[in-house]
Amino acid sequence: MGLAWQQGPLATASVGHFLTPQPMPERILYAEPLRRRMRVKFGDQYVVDSEDVVLLHEPGRYPVAYFPRGDVQPGVLTAEDRVTQHGDLGETRWFSVGVDGREANHAAWEYTALPAHAAVLDGRVAFAWRAMDAFYEEDERIVGHAADFYHRLDIRSTSRHLVVRDGERVIADTHRPVALYESGFAPRWYVLRDDVDESALQPVDGQTFCPYKGLASYYTIGEHKRAAWCYPEAWPEAARVSNLLSFEPDKIDVYLDGSQLHLEPGQTVVPHGVDRGLDTDEILQKTTA
């Protein structure tokens, strides 16, 4: 989650609200300079290399990077007949991206009839995340989507009492849970394995990928499928929860200081789009690379 995604301040389902005397518009788009060198790789070439990238935040989407046309390698873009309409930014022309005989259709786009207030995007092109092979900031590959400056993690130790039950069976009981606060989301509570009855956990196939925490593995508890998860090797930013367990309060009973927790609105990740790739293949490719 970040500025305009999930429950962020510019999202349509924001958890907070602006204190203004007049109603805010239903949709607000926000553009800012990335101020980082960014490159996009397709095949064996960097098809664009720029230090003048603009990041666009719009409701319901992860941020998207827009590059000056002049920083795109010559001959890479081929205009398609496809033209769509963006509700806020107008006519959208699409391009195929081709390098050394390899081609990806609907792989880039630009806005050709921008309103005056969106002129910062004039002459800029964006590349579909899932159509490209890799995005880089400097020499480091970025996976999942363009980095959102407004997404952050805070991890705190606490002595609150957390209990997880499957009917009468106690699955976890701890006075030392770890709280993970992630931009705009309700807290997630993680438990050391020493405080969990691991015999109740049945590992299940399939992992998911978070661009900020890494690969997550899941467990079924009794009849409750994928009721618990962990990040076996969380990324450095979330290293404190590596291999700890967390429990989904809409699938199993979780109590904090005696009060039952419930999944709050906006916690569910919605399907992917052209501006992001949140599958395990991308992170596994990064690891092998």
Side-chain angles (χ1 to χ4, degrees):
M1 206 242 36
L3 184 64
W5 183 243
Q6 296 287 103
Q7 294 181 298
L10 300 186
T12 53
S14 174
V15 70
H17 60 277
F18 291 96
L19 303 182
T20 60
Q22 301 297 325
M24 297 287 287
E26 290 186 7
R27 288 175 52 86
I28 299 177
L29 277 61
Y30 182 74
E32 62 183 332
L34 180 63
R35 294 188 288 195
R36 306 177 188 183
R37 180 192 185 192
M38 195 171 195
R39 297 182 288 172
V40 180
K41 199 170 190 178
F42 184 68
D44 293 327
Q45 292 189 29
Y46 290 107
V47 295
V48 61
D49 183 341
S50 182
E51 296 180 49
D52 180 23
V53 178
V54 169
L55 212 59
L56 176 65
H57 303 262
E58 57 179 299
R61 296 185 67 174
Y62 286 106
V64 177
Y66 285 79
F67 301 84
R69 284 290 299 268
D71 289 341
V72 179
Q73 291 296 318
V76 163
L77 299 178
T78 300
E80 301 177 345
D81 292 334
R82 186 185 191 206
V83 177
T84 59
Q85 289 291 322
H86 186 286
D88 301 290
L89 301 174
E91 185 177 279
T92 308
R93 180 167 297 279
W94 290 79
F95 299 89
S96 296
V97 174
V99 170
D100 295 334
R102 182 182 171 198
E103 187 174 65
N105 296 323
H106 314 330
W109 69 89
E110 69 176 352
Y111 302 112
T112 56
L114 286 162
H117 64 265
V120 67
L121 298 176
D122 190 30
R124 294 181 177 272
V125 61
F127 292 84
W129 195 275
R130 296 174 65 81
M132 298 295 98
D133 291 328
F135 286 70
Y136 292 83
E137 289 180 358
E138 296 296 339
D139 295 333
E140 184 167 335
R141 186 176 176 193
I142 306 302
V143 292
H145 55 76
D148 190 325
F149 306 150
Y150 305 96
H151 187 114
R152 64 174 290 164
L153 301 173
D154 292 298
I155 299 172
R156 301 288 184 262
S157 298
T158 181
S159 58
R160 300 177 73 177
H161 189 198
L162 187 83
V163 177
V164 181
R165 293 180 177 274
D166 179 13
E168 295 300 316
R169 184 176 183 179
V170 175
I171 308 300
D173 190 335
T174 184
H175 286 275
R176 51 177 182 172
V178 174
L180 187 147
Y181 302 99
E182 188 166 2
S183 300
F185 289 108
R188 293 294 196 175
W189 303 90
Y190 286 79
V191 182
L192 278 68
R193 287 180 177 266
D194 288 347
D195 296 333
V196 177
D197 177 3
E198 292 198 58
S199 67
L201 305 180
Q202 306 169 42
V204 296
D205 293 333
Q207 293 178 300
T208 61
F209 163 56
C210 169
Y212 301 96
K213 299 186 290 293
L215 285 176
S217 298
Y218 291 83
Y219 302 88
T220 290
I221 301 173
E223 300 298 320
H224 312 290
K225 296 182 178 181
R226 298 168 73 92
W229 73 90
C230 78
Y231 292 93
E233 297 180 1
W235 286 9
E237 295 84 352
R240 289 179 61 187
V241 299
S242 282
N243 209 34
L244 275 59
L245 290 157
S246 191
F247 300 87
E248 192 67 85
D250 68 330
K251 296 183 177 182
I252 198 162
D253 294 337
V254 182
Y255 299 88
L256 182 67
D257 293 336
S259 297
Q260 186 169 1
L261 300 181
H262 299 280
L263 189 69
E264 296 191 16
Q267 295 288 94
T268 304
V269 176
V270 302
H272 309 156
V274 295
D275 53 326
R276 55 198 182 274
L278 298 179
D279 52 45
T280 56
D281 288 343
E282 186 175 6
I283 181 60
L284 293 173
Q285 288 171 11
K286 177 184 179 182
T287 302
T288 56

